[in-house]
Amino acid sequence: MASKKGKILIVDDNAGIRQALRILLPLHFAEVETLPSPVTLVSTLERFRPDVVLLDMNFNTSINTGNEGLYWAAEIKKMVPEVEVVLFTAYADIQLAVEGMKRGAFDFIVKPWDNEKLVATLTAARDKARKAMGRDAKSGTAEDASGSPMFWGSSKPMTAIQKTVEKIAPTDATVLITGENGTGKDVLAREIHARSLRSGKPMVAVDAGAITETLFESELFGHVKGAFTDAHTDHVGKFEQADGGTLFLDEIGNIPLHLQAKLLRVIQNRSVVRVGGSKAIPVDIRLICATNMDLEQLVREGRFREDLYYRINTVHINLPPLRERKEDIVPLAQLFLERFTEKYHRHLTGLDNSAKVALESAWWSGNIRELQNCIEKAVILSDGTELTAKDIQLEQSKQGTSTSGTLRALNESEEERLVREAMERSNGNISVAAKMLGISRPTMYAKLKKYGL
Protein backbone atom coordinates (compact mmCIF):
# COMPACT_ATOMS: atom_id res chain seq x y z
CA MET A 1 0.00 0.00 0.00
CA ALA A 2 1.18 3.54 -0.77
CA SER A 3 2.52 5.51 2.15
CA LYS A 4 0.07 7.73 4.01
CA LYS A 5 1.29 11.25 3.45
CA GLY A 6 -0.02 14.59 2.35
CA LYS A 7 -3.38 16.30 2.63
CA ILE A 8 -6.38 16.14 0.32
CA LEU A 9 -9.49 18.34 0.26
CA ILE A 10 -12.65 16.96 -1.38
CA VAL A 11 -15.29 19.41 -2.59
CA ASP A 12 -18.48 17.64 -3.68
CA ASP A 13 -22.16 18.26 -2.98
CA ASN A 14 -23.03 14.54 -2.91
CA ALA A 15 -23.01 13.29 0.68
CA GLY A 16 -22.68 9.64 -0.41
CA ILE A 17 -19.58 10.41 -2.45
CA ARG A 18 -18.01 12.36 0.40
CA GLN A 19 -18.68 9.47 2.79
CA ALA A 20 -17.20 6.88 0.41
CA LEU A 21 -14.06 8.94 -0.06
CA ARG A 22 -13.72 9.50 3.70
CA ILE A 23 -13.43 5.71 3.99
CA LEU A 24 -11.12 5.13 1.00
CA LEU A 25 -8.67 8.03 1.01
CA PRO A 26 -7.41 7.93 4.64
CA LEU A 27 -5.69 4.70 3.60
CA HIS A 28 -3.46 6.78 1.32
CA PHE A 29 -3.43 10.32 2.72
CA ALA A 30 -2.39 11.50 6.16
CA GLU A 31 -5.27 13.99 6.33
CA VAL A 32 -8.58 14.14 4.48
CA GLU A 33 -11.16 16.93 4.65
CA THR A 34 -14.45 17.33 2.77
CA LEU A 35 -16.68 20.25 1.83
CA PRO A 36 -20.24 20.07 0.47
CA SER A 37 -19.77 23.26 -1.59
CA PRO A 38 -17.13 25.85 -2.46
CA VAL A 39 -18.70 28.46 -0.15
CA THR A 40 -15.94 28.07 2.46
CA LEU A 41 -13.28 26.87 0.01
CA VAL A 42 -11.07 29.94 0.30
CA SER A 43 -10.92 29.90 4.11
CA THR A 44 -10.40 26.11 4.13
CA LEU A 45 -7.46 26.43 1.74
CA GLU A 46 -5.86 28.99 4.04
CA ARG A 47 -6.45 26.86 7.15
CA PHE A 48 -5.96 23.29 5.88
CA ARG A 49 -3.23 23.87 3.25
CA PRO A 50 -3.93 20.74 1.16
CA ASP A 51 -1.58 19.25 -1.41
CA VAL A 52 -4.48 18.17 -3.64
CA VAL A 53 -8.06 19.35 -4.15
CA LEU A 54 -10.54 16.87 -5.64
CA LEU A 55 -13.08 19.30 -7.08
CA ASP A 56 -16.55 18.50 -8.38
CA MET A 57 -17.39 20.18 -11.70
CA ASN A 58 -20.95 21.18 -10.75
CA PHE A 59 -22.69 22.36 -7.59
CA ASN A 60 -26.24 23.34 -6.71
CA THR A 61 -25.74 27.06 -7.22
CA SER A 62 -27.10 29.54 -9.70
CA ILE A 63 -23.68 31.09 -10.32
CA ASN A 64 -21.41 29.79 -13.10
CA THR A 65 -23.80 26.88 -13.71
CA GLY A 66 -22.04 24.15 -15.70
CA ASN A 67 -18.68 25.88 -15.25
CA GLU A 68 -18.29 25.97 -11.48
CA GLY A 69 -15.41 23.53 -11.59
CA LEU A 70 -13.48 25.63 -14.09
CA TYR A 71 -14.12 28.79 -12.08
CA TRP A 72 -13.04 27.35 -8.74
CA ALA A 73 -10.08 25.48 -10.23
CA ALA A 74 -8.82 28.82 -11.55
CA GLU A 75 -9.39 30.46 -8.17
CA ILE A 76 -7.44 27.71 -6.38
CA LYS A 77 -4.50 28.03 -8.78
CA LYS A 78 -4.50 31.80 -8.29
CA MET A 79 -4.41 31.48 -4.50
CA VAL A 80 -1.98 28.56 -4.21
CA PRO A 81 -0.40 27.69 -7.59
CA GLU A 82 1.51 24.75 -6.12
CA VAL A 83 -1.68 22.93 -5.08
CA GLU A 84 -2.79 20.36 -7.67
CA VAL A 85 -6.46 20.26 -8.70
CA VAL A 86 -8.12 17.04 -9.88
CA LEU A 87 -11.55 17.55 -11.40
CA PHE A 88 -14.42 15.21 -10.48
CA THR A 89 -16.85 14.99 -13.37
CA ALA A 90 -19.78 13.13 -14.85
CA TYR A 91 -19.41 11.74 -18.37
CA ALA A 92 -21.46 14.60 -19.84
CA ASP A 93 -18.96 17.16 -18.54
CA ILE A 94 -15.80 15.56 -19.93
CA GLN A 95 -15.35 18.41 -22.42
CA LEU A 96 -15.29 20.90 -19.53
CA ALA A 97 -12.78 18.72 -17.70
CA VAL A 98 -10.52 18.66 -20.74
CA GLU A 99 -10.69 22.45 -20.83
CA GLY A 100 -9.86 22.46 -17.13
CA MET A 101 -6.69 20.47 -17.75
CA LYS A 102 -5.63 22.90 -20.44
CA ARG A 103 -6.06 25.66 -17.86
CA GLY A 104 -3.87 23.95 -15.29
CA ALA A 105 -5.81 21.14 -13.61
CA PHE A 106 -3.67 18.05 -12.97
CA ASP A 107 -6.18 15.50 -14.27
CA PHE A 108 -9.84 14.49 -14.07
CA ILE A 109 -11.79 11.52 -12.70
CA VAL A 110 -15.07 10.38 -14.28
CA LYS A 111 -17.96 9.27 -12.05
CA PRO A 112 -18.61 6.47 -11.28
CA TRP A 113 -14.91 6.01 -10.61
CA ASP A 114 -12.53 3.09 -10.44
CA ASN A 115 -10.90 3.07 -6.98
CA GLU A 116 -7.48 2.01 -8.25
CA LYS A 117 -7.36 4.69 -10.93
CA LEU A 118 -8.70 7.36 -8.58
CA VAL A 119 -6.08 6.61 -5.93
CA ALA A 120 -3.29 6.47 -8.54
CA THR A 121 -4.30 9.86 -9.96
CA LEU A 122 -4.68 11.57 -6.58
CA THR A 123 -1.41 10.24 -5.17
CA ALA A 124 0.45 11.27 -8.34
CA ALA A 125 -1.01 14.76 -7.96
CA ARG A 126 -0.01 14.77 -4.29
CA ASP A 127 3.56 13.71 -5.06
CA LYS A 128 3.90 16.41 -7.71
CA ALA A 129 2.56 19.09 -5.37
CA ARG A 130 4.83 18.07 -2.50
CA LYS A 131 7.83 18.01 -4.78
CA ALA A 132 7.03 21.52 -6.01
CA MET A 133 6.52 22.82 -2.48
CA GLY A 134 9.81 21.34 -1.29
CA ARG A 135 12.12 23.10 -3.74
CA ASP A 136 12.55 26.50 -5.35
CA ALA A 137 14.54 25.68 -8.46
CA LYS A 138 13.19 24.59 -11.82
CA SER A 139 9.60 25.69 -11.35
CA GLY A 140 8.72 25.40 -15.00
CA THR A 141 9.55 23.55 -18.20
CA ALA A 142 10.59 24.48 -21.68
CA GLU A 143 7.60 22.67 -23.13
CA ASP A 144 5.48 25.77 -23.61
CA ALA A 145 3.65 25.35 -26.90
CA SER A 146 4.66 28.82 -28.06
CA GLY A 147 8.29 27.72 -27.86
CA SER A 148 7.88 24.43 -29.76
CA PRO A 149 10.83 23.57 -31.99
CA MET A 150 10.43 23.57 -35.76
CA PHE A 151 9.31 20.24 -37.21
CA TRP A 152 10.54 19.96 -40.78
CA GLY A 153 9.21 16.54 -41.69
CA SER A 154 10.13 14.71 -44.88
CA SER A 155 7.81 16.23 -47.49
CA LYS A 156 9.32 17.89 -50.57
CA PRO A 157 7.90 21.37 -49.88
CA MET A 158 9.24 21.42 -46.33
CA THR A 159 12.63 20.07 -47.40
CA ALA A 160 12.88 22.94 -49.89
CA ILE A 161 11.89 25.48 -47.24
CA GLN A 162 14.49 24.09 -44.83
CA LYS A 163 17.23 24.59 -47.44
CA THR A 164 16.05 28.17 -48.02
CA VAL A 165 16.10 28.90 -44.29
CA GLU A 166 19.64 27.54 -43.98
CA LYS A 167 20.75 30.04 -46.63
CA ILE A 168 18.91 33.14 -45.46
CA ALA A 169 18.93 32.76 -41.66
CA PRO A 170 22.52 34.05 -41.16
CA THR A 171 21.72 37.17 -43.22
CA ASP A 172 19.64 40.22 -42.30
CA ALA A 173 17.28 39.72 -45.23
CA THR A 174 13.67 40.71 -44.54
CA VAL A 175 11.39 37.67 -44.71
CA LEU A 176 7.68 37.40 -45.53
CA ILE A 177 6.06 34.15 -44.36
CA THR A 178 2.64 33.29 -45.77
CA GLY A 179 0.34 30.35 -45.22
CA GLU A 180 -3.02 29.30 -43.85
CA ASN A 181 -3.91 29.61 -40.17
CA GLY A 182 -2.11 27.04 -38.04
CA THR A 183 0.69 26.21 -40.48
CA GLY A 184 3.36 27.36 -38.02
CA LYS A 185 4.38 30.76 -39.34
CA ASP A 186 5.39 31.96 -35.88
CA VAL A 187 7.41 28.78 -35.27
CA LEU A 188 9.27 29.28 -38.56
CA ALA A 189 9.99 32.90 -37.63
CA ARG A 190 11.54 31.75 -34.34
CA GLU A 191 13.59 29.15 -36.22
CA ILE A 192 15.00 31.80 -38.55
CA HIS A 193 15.89 33.99 -35.59
CA ALA A 194 17.48 31.06 -33.71
CA ARG A 195 19.71 30.30 -36.72
CA SER A 196 20.66 33.95 -37.27
CA LEU A 197 23.64 35.93 -36.04
CA ARG A 198 21.14 37.82 -33.85
CA SER A 199 20.08 34.73 -31.88
CA GLY A 200 21.68 36.09 -28.70
CA LYS A 201 19.46 39.17 -28.89
CA PRO A 202 15.69 39.36 -28.33
CA MET A 203 13.02 38.33 -30.80
CA VAL A 204 9.97 40.52 -30.23
CA ALA A 205 6.68 39.20 -31.64
CA VAL A 206 3.75 41.49 -32.37
CA ASP A 207 0.24 40.45 -33.43
CA ALA A 208 -0.33 43.45 -35.65
CA GLY A 209 -3.93 42.52 -36.27
CA ALA A 210 -4.74 42.61 -32.55
CA ILE A 211 -3.51 46.14 -31.88
CA THR A 212 -6.22 48.80 -31.96
CA GLU A 213 -5.67 51.71 -34.31
CA THR A 214 -5.47 54.19 -31.45
CA LEU A 215 -2.64 52.24 -29.79
CA PHE A 216 -0.80 51.15 -32.94
CA GLU A 217 1.86 53.89 -32.96
CA SER A 218 2.33 53.79 -29.19
CA GLU A 219 2.79 50.01 -29.13
CA LEU A 220 5.18 49.85 -32.08
CA PHE A 221 7.05 53.13 -31.81
CA GLY A 222 6.62 54.02 -28.12
CA HIS A 223 5.48 57.25 -26.48
CA VAL A 224 6.80 59.88 -24.11
CA LYS A 225 5.28 60.85 -20.79
CA GLY A 226 2.29 63.16 -21.26
CA ALA A 227 1.78 62.29 -24.95
CA PHE A 228 -1.85 61.43 -24.15
CA THR A 229 -4.15 61.10 -21.14
CA ASP A 230 -2.89 57.73 -19.86
CA ALA A 231 0.77 58.26 -20.77
CA HIS A 232 2.03 58.54 -17.18
CA THR A 233 5.57 57.40 -18.06
CA ASP A 234 7.78 56.97 -21.12
CA HIS A 235 7.03 53.76 -23.03
CA VAL A 236 9.52 51.83 -25.17
CA GLY A 237 7.85 50.50 -28.32
CA LYS A 238 8.32 47.10 -29.96
CA PHE A 239 10.86 48.39 -32.49
CA GLU A 240 13.14 49.62 -29.72
CA GLN A 241 12.59 46.46 -27.66
CA ALA A 242 13.84 44.43 -30.64
CA ASP A 243 16.95 46.57 -31.14
CA GLY A 244 19.85 44.30 -32.07
CA GLY A 245 17.51 41.36 -32.57
CA THR A 246 14.46 40.40 -34.64
CA LEU A 247 11.03 42.01 -34.89
CA PHE A 248 8.27 39.61 -35.94
CA LEU A 249 5.12 41.32 -37.23
CA ASP A 250 2.38 38.70 -37.43
CA GLU A 251 -0.90 39.29 -39.32
CA ILE A 252 0.60 42.25 -41.16
CA GLY A 253 -2.17 42.08 -43.75
CA ASN A 254 -4.63 43.35 -41.15
CA ILE A 255 -2.92 46.71 -40.63
CA PRO A 256 -5.16 49.58 -41.87
CA LEU A 257 -3.95 51.40 -44.98
CA HIS A 258 -3.32 54.76 -43.27
CA LEU A 259 -1.09 53.11 -40.66
CA GLN A 260 0.87 51.19 -43.30
CA ALA A 261 2.47 54.46 -44.41
CA LYS A 262 3.81 55.10 -40.89
CA LEU A 263 5.13 51.56 -40.66
CA LEU A 264 6.84 51.89 -44.04
CA ARG A 265 8.56 55.10 -42.97
CA VAL A 266 10.06 53.45 -39.90
CA ILE A 267 11.18 50.39 -41.85
CA GLN A 268 12.86 52.57 -44.47
CA ASN A 269 14.52 54.97 -42.03
CA ARG A 270 15.36 52.29 -39.43
CA SER A 271 14.51 54.83 -36.75
CA VAL A 272 11.44 55.64 -34.65
CA VAL A 273 10.01 58.81 -33.20
CA ARG A 274 7.98 58.11 -30.07
CA VAL A 275 4.45 59.48 -29.94
CA GLY A 276 4.65 62.94 -28.40
CA GLY A 277 8.42 63.11 -28.96
CA SER A 278 10.62 64.72 -31.59
CA LYS A 279 13.88 62.75 -31.37
CA ALA A 280 14.59 60.07 -33.98
CA ILE A 281 15.83 56.92 -32.23
CA PRO A 282 17.88 54.53 -34.43
CA VAL A 283 16.84 50.85 -34.33
CA ASP A 284 18.85 47.90 -35.62
CA ILE A 285 16.40 45.09 -36.37
CA ARG A 286 15.90 42.11 -38.62
CA LEU A 287 12.28 42.17 -39.83
CA ILE A 288 10.14 39.08 -40.33
CA CYS A 289 6.47 39.45 -41.30
CA ALA A 290 3.69 36.90 -41.62
CA THR A 291 0.13 36.77 -42.91
CA ASN A 292 -2.55 34.30 -43.98
CA MET A 293 -3.83 36.82 -46.53
CA ASP A 294 -3.02 37.18 -50.22
CA LEU A 295 -1.05 40.43 -50.12
CA GLU A 296 -0.72 40.62 -53.92
CA GLN A 297 -4.51 40.55 -54.19
CA LEU A 298 -4.78 43.21 -51.49
CA VAL A 299 -2.33 45.38 -53.43
CA ARG A 300 -4.46 45.00 -56.58
CA GLU A 301 -7.54 45.99 -54.56
CA GLY A 302 -5.77 49.03 -53.12
CA ARG A 303 -5.96 47.68 -49.55
CA PHE A 304 -2.23 47.15 -49.06
CA ARG A 305 0.51 49.56 -50.10
CA GLU A 306 2.57 48.26 -53.00
CA ASP A 307 5.75 49.93 -51.74
CA LEU A 308 5.34 48.32 -48.30
CA TYR A 309 4.70 44.94 -49.91
CA TYR A 310 7.98 45.06 -51.83
CA ARG A 311 9.83 46.37 -48.78
CA ILE A 312 8.84 43.36 -46.63
CA ASN A 313 9.06 40.77 -49.42
CA THR A 314 12.81 40.38 -49.91
CA VAL A 315 12.49 36.64 -49.26
CA HIS A 316 9.06 35.02 -49.50
CA ILE A 317 8.38 31.64 -47.85
CA ASN A 318 4.97 30.01 -48.23
CA LEU A 319 4.20 27.28 -45.70
CA PRO A 320 2.03 24.56 -47.28
CA PRO A 321 -1.15 23.37 -45.56
CA LEU A 322 -0.96 20.07 -43.72
CA ARG A 323 -3.16 18.31 -46.29
CA GLU A 324 -0.43 18.97 -48.90
CA ARG A 325 2.24 17.28 -46.77
CA LYS A 326 0.35 14.16 -45.68
CA GLU A 327 3.54 12.20 -45.03
CA ASP A 328 4.25 14.58 -42.15
CA ILE A 329 0.88 14.16 -40.39
CA VAL A 330 1.56 10.93 -38.48
CA PRO A 331 5.12 11.89 -37.38
CA LEU A 332 3.75 15.23 -36.15
CA ALA A 333 0.92 13.49 -34.32
CA GLN A 334 3.43 11.15 -32.68
CA LEU A 335 5.50 14.15 -31.59
CA PHE A 336 2.44 15.77 -29.99
CA LEU A 337 1.43 12.45 -28.43
CA GLU A 338 4.80 12.13 -26.69
CA ARG A 339 4.63 15.71 -25.46
CA PHE A 340 1.10 15.47 -24.06
CA THR A 341 1.60 11.96 -22.67
CA GLU A 342 4.29 13.42 -20.44
CA LYS A 343 2.35 16.57 -19.65
CA TYR A 344 -0.87 14.77 -18.66
CA HIS A 345 0.74 11.73 -16.98
CA ARG A 346 -0.62 9.17 -19.45
CA HIS A 347 1.00 5.90 -20.54
CA LEU A 348 0.51 5.90 -24.30
CA THR A 349 3.03 4.25 -26.59
CA GLY A 350 1.79 5.42 -29.99
CA LEU A 351 -0.96 5.42 -32.60
CA ASP A 352 -2.67 2.31 -33.88
CA ASN A 353 -3.39 1.85 -37.58
CA SER A 354 -6.98 3.08 -37.38
CA ALA A 355 -5.79 6.33 -35.80
CA LYS A 356 -3.19 6.84 -38.51
CA VAL A 357 -5.79 6.31 -41.22
CA ALA A 358 -8.18 8.75 -39.55
CA LEU A 359 -5.48 11.42 -39.20
CA GLU A 360 -4.25 11.12 -42.77
CA SER A 361 -7.77 11.22 -44.21
CA ALA A 362 -8.81 14.41 -42.37
CA TRP A 363 -8.84 17.80 -44.09
CA TRP A 364 -7.12 19.78 -41.29
CA SER A 365 -8.42 23.22 -42.16
CA GLY A 366 -6.69 24.44 -38.98
CA ASN A 367 -3.48 22.65 -39.95
CA ILE A 368 -0.79 21.90 -37.37
CA ARG A 369 -2.54 23.85 -34.62
CA GLU A 370 -5.72 21.85 -35.15
CA LEU A 371 -3.77 18.57 -35.20
CA GLN A 372 -2.03 19.52 -31.96
CA ASN A 373 -5.33 20.32 -30.24
CA CYS A 374 -6.85 17.08 -31.55
CA ILE A 375 -4.01 14.94 -30.17
CA GLU A 376 -4.00 16.83 -26.86
CA LYS A 377 -7.70 16.12 -26.38
CA ALA A 378 -7.28 12.48 -27.43
CA VAL A 379 -4.42 11.92 -24.99
CA ILE A 380 -6.45 13.37 -22.14
CA LEU A 381 -9.49 11.22 -22.88
CA SER A 382 -7.78 7.98 -23.85
CA ASP A 383 -7.92 4.95 -21.55
CA GLY A 384 -5.71 2.61 -23.58
CA THR A 385 -2.01 2.25 -24.32
CA GLU A 386 -2.39 3.39 -27.95
CA LEU A 387 -4.51 6.11 -29.51
CA THR A 388 -7.20 4.65 -31.75
CA ALA A 389 -9.57 6.12 -34.32
CA LYS A 390 -12.27 6.41 -31.67
CA ASP A 391 -9.92 8.53 -29.56
CA ILE A 392 -9.31 10.87 -32.51
CA GLN A 393 -12.63 12.68 -32.36
CA LEU A 394 -12.75 14.60 -35.63
CA GLU A 395 -15.70 16.77 -36.60
CA GLN A 396 -17.48 15.77 -39.77
CA SER A 397 -16.63 19.15 -41.28
CA LYS A 398 -12.93 18.30 -40.95
CA GLN A 399 -13.21 15.10 -42.98
CA GLY A 400 -12.95 16.63 -46.47
CA THR A 401 -15.40 14.94 -48.80
CA SER A 402 -15.95 12.06 -46.37
CA THR A 403 -19.17 11.96 -44.37
CA SER A 404 -17.60 9.75 -41.72
CA GLY A 405 -13.87 10.08 -42.27
CA THR A 406 -12.75 8.05 -39.29
CA LEU A 407 -14.81 5.02 -40.35
CA ARG A 408 -14.92 5.43 -44.11
CA ALA A 409 -11.29 4.42 -44.65
CA LEU A 410 -11.57 1.26 -42.52
CA ASN A 411 -12.56 -2.25 -43.55
CA GLU A 412 -15.82 -3.67 -42.23
CA SER A 413 -14.35 -5.78 -39.44
CA GLU A 414 -12.39 -2.83 -38.08
CA GLU A 415 -15.42 -0.57 -38.44
CA GLU A 416 -17.63 -3.03 -36.57
CA ARG A 417 -15.09 -3.26 -33.77
CA LEU A 418 -15.01 0.53 -33.41
CA VAL A 419 -18.80 0.79 -33.43
CA ARG A 420 -19.09 -1.91 -30.75
CA GLU A 421 -16.42 -0.27 -28.59
CA ALA A 422 -18.09 3.14 -28.92
CA MET A 423 -21.40 1.67 -27.76
CA GLU A 424 -19.74 -0.09 -24.82
CA ARG A 425 -17.76 2.99 -23.82
CA SER A 426 -20.86 5.20 -24.00
CA ASN A 427 -22.96 2.70 -22.00
CA GLY A 428 -25.31 2.32 -24.95
CA ASN A 429 -25.88 6.04 -25.50
CA ILE A 430 -26.19 6.31 -29.29
CA SER A 431 -25.67 10.09 -29.43
CA VAL A 432 -22.48 9.91 -27.38
CA ALA A 433 -21.19 6.95 -29.40
CA ALA A 434 -21.84 8.83 -32.65
CA LYS A 435 -19.85 11.80 -31.36
CA MET A 436 -16.97 9.50 -30.42
CA LEU A 437 -16.82 8.23 -33.98
CA GLY A 438 -17.33 11.63 -35.62
CA ILE A 439 -20.54 10.61 -37.40
CA SER A 440 -24.16 11.77 -37.29
CA ARG A 441 -26.84 10.05 -35.22
CA PRO A 442 -28.68 8.70 -38.34
CA THR A 443 -25.39 7.30 -39.66
CA MET A 444 -24.82 5.66 -36.30
CA TYR A 445 -28.27 4.05 -36.46
CA ALA A 446 -27.38 2.69 -39.91
CA LYS A 447 -24.13 1.23 -38.57
CA LEU A 448 -25.95 -0.42 -35.65
CA LYS A 449 -28.49 -1.95 -38.03
CA LYS A 450 -25.73 -3.08 -40.40
CA TYR A 451 -23.92 -4.98 -37.67
CA GLY A 452 -27.04 -6.21 -35.85
CA LEU A 453 -26.33 -4.21 -32.67
Side-chain angles (χ1 to χ4, degrees), residues 161-315:
I161 290 174
Q162 185 176 12
K163 290 180 179 177
T164 298
V165 168
E166 289 172 353
K167 293 177 181 178
I168 67 164
T171 74
D172 275 345
T174 300
V175 182
L176 173 63
I177 305 172
T178 57
E180 294 181 6
N181 285 332
T183 48
K185 298 184 288 295
D186 57 333
V187 179
L188 180 57
R190 288 196 302 272
E191 181 72 15
I192 294 171
H193 173 71
R195 290 171 176 246
S196 75
L197 301 179
R198 297 171 176 264
S199 58
K201 296 290 185 177
M203 173 177 165
V204 177
V206 181
D207 184 349
I211 304 176
T212 62
E213 291 187 29
T214 53
L215 294 176
F216 183 86
E217 290 182 75
S218 173
E219 283 297 303
L220 263 63
F221 314 141
H223 63 250
V224 299
K225 181 179 179 180
F228 47 86
T229 303
D230 295 324
H232 302 302
T233 60
D234 287 355
H235 171 67
V236 177
K238 301 299 185 183
F239 272 85
E240 286 185 74
Q241 292 175 29
D243 188 43
T246 301
L247 180 65
F248 175 49
L249 293 180
D250 200 5
E251 304 298 347
I252 194 169
N254 291 321
I255 297 176
L257 196 61
H258 67 282
L259 294 175
Q260 293 174 22
K262 297 179 179 181
L263 177 61
L264 175 63
R265 190 178 308 115
V266 171
I267 294 173
Q268 288 176 329
N269 297 337
R270 283 300 196 265
S271 66
V272 298
V273 177
R274 294 181 182 178
V275 177
S278 56
K279 178 184 176 183
I281 303 170
V283 287
D284 172 24
I285 63 162
R286 199 257 183 90
L287 183 64
I288 301 177
C289 300
T291 182
N292 62 356
M293 305 174 78
D294 184 344
L295 292 187
E296 290 187 355
Q297 180 63 30
L298 294 183
V299 169
R300 289 191 291 270
E301 295 172 357
R303 295 163 55 199
F304 198 88
R305 292 181 64 102
E306 186 175 18
D307 46 4
L308 177 59
Y309 173 65
Y310 288 120
R311 177 65 67 174
I312 65 175
N313 193 23
T314 305
V315 177

Side-chain angles (χ1 to χ4, degrees), residues 86 106-109 116-126:
V86 175
F106 179 83
D107 207 334
F108 68 89
I109 298 292
E116 185 177 341
K117 183 175 181 180
L118 178 137
V119 169
T121 300
L122 294 178
T123 53
R126 173 200 64 194

Side-chain angles (χ1 to χ4, degrees), residues 28-73:
H28 306 275
F29 287 82
E31 296 184 55
V32 178
E33 280 208 17
T34 63
L35 290 176
S37 81
V39 174
T40 60
L41 177 58
V42 172
S43 60
T44 304
L45 285 173
E46 293 174 346
R47 173 185 58 78
F48 185 53
R49 297 290 179 182
D51 301 299
V52 184
V53 176
L54 179 58
L55 180 68
D56 192 17
M57 291 290 291
N58 286 289
F59 301 94
N60 295 323
T61 67
S62 59
I63 303 174
N64 299 306
T65 302
N67 292 281
E68 297 96 330
L70 293 182
Y71 171 79
W72 286 109

